[in-house]
Amino acid sequence: MDPKVIVLAGTAGTGKSTVADILLKHHSSKYPDAKFIEGDTLHPPANVAKMSAGIPLGDDDRWGWLEKVATYSSATAKKHGLCIVACSSLKKKYRDFMREKCPDTTFYFVFLYGSKEEVFRRLEKRSQHFMKANMMESQFKDLELPKSDEPHCCIVHIDHKSIPEVQNDVREKVVALFAEN
């Protein structure tokens, strides 16, 4: 079985972790042991300290984290068939890097995209996360949504949608991505 990693991508505040649960349930018949990894838990302490202090991460801060996310999710997919990981994957070069690190695993990037206004509204309600609304400008500045020629990628718009609507859209897009192979 070809190991598959579904990367729920996008800026903070788009609902990546919330959507993961429905994907696990949806794929449980074919992948009963599929796992979810919250990519933020793989950040090194220096990155967490930086973000907690309100300092956005740069590329140099992200490479080691992205390698860990890629290799850990790939190893999990090899063991269980499917791994779902929440990881911002904001730039194309980050997505390419993850694919290159684990060429024997297929990475599917599902971007949850919301307007700045929607994401800021959601983040203002969060209190237990190190990513605060004032750091979002850097994420939107770095955001490179996938183009149609980027393999195994799709975008799900979240503005003005309920969580069940977003989850349904994601489920449909993932089914379509899997059918491409």
Side-chain angles (χ1 to χ4, degrees):
M1 185 180 310
D2 177 37
K4 295 174 173 57
V5 174
I6 299 171
V7 181
L8 294 169
T11 65
T14 55
K16 296 182 292 286
S17 300
T18 303
V19 168
D21 184 53
I22 195 70
L23 282 179
L24 282 173
K25 288 176 185 166
H26 178 74
H27 292 288
S28 64
S29 61
K30 186 169 182 178
Y31 302 99
D33 298 322
K35 302 293 180 202
F36 170 65
I37 299 168
E38 174 53 68
D40 285 343
T41 64
L42 301 176
H43 272 294
N47 283 6
V48 174
K50 203 170 185 180
M51 289 183 285
S52 295
I55 302 167
L57 298 180
D59 286 349
D60 290 340
D61 300 311
R62 290 190 177 110
W63 295 121
W65 170 65
L66 289 167
E67 182 172 4
K68 191 170 185 179
V69 169
T71 57
Y72 189 61
S73 61
S74 174
T76 302
K78 288 174 186 171
K79 184 174 181 181
H80 301 287
L82 176 69
C83 178
I84 299 168
V85 62
C87 173
S88 55
S89 308
L90 297 172
K91 295 181 181 181
K92 182 181 183 303
K93 67 182 178 181
Y94 299 164
R95 300 185 293 274
D96 290 344
F97 177 81
M98 292 172 72
R99 291 181 187 109
E100 290 164 10
K101 284 291 168 188
C102 305
D104 53 351
T105 300
T106 303
F107 285 83
Y108 299 87
F109 292 88
V110 178
F111 268 81
L112 301 179
Y113 177 75
S115 66
K116 283 185 186 181
E117 296 77 22
E118 176 70 16
V119 170
F120 278 94
R121 186 185 62 74
R122 289 172 173 224
L123 283 175
E124 287 173 350
K125 295 178 181 180
R126 288 168 58 172
S127 61
Q128 300 300 318
H129 195 275
F130 53 75
M131 178 62 79
K132 303 301 182 213
N134 66 334
M135 293 176 53
M136 286 308 300
E137 285 299 327
S138 70
Q139 285 207 333
F140 276 101
K141 181 180 165 228
D142 287 347
L143 181 61
E144 296 172 3
L145 291 173
K147 306 254 188 279
S148 60
D149 63 341
E150 190 173 343
H152 309 302
C153 291
C154 66
I155 301 168
V156 174
H157 294 270
I158 65 167
D159 284 3
H160 312 294
K161 291 184 182 175
S162 68
I163 291 171
E165 287 173 317
V166 171
Q167 290 172 326
N168 188 56
D169 288 354
V170 169
R171 200 171 37 246
E172 289 176 5
K173 296 274 190 169
V174 169
V175 167
L177 286 174
F178 280 11
E180 290 177 0
N181 277 353

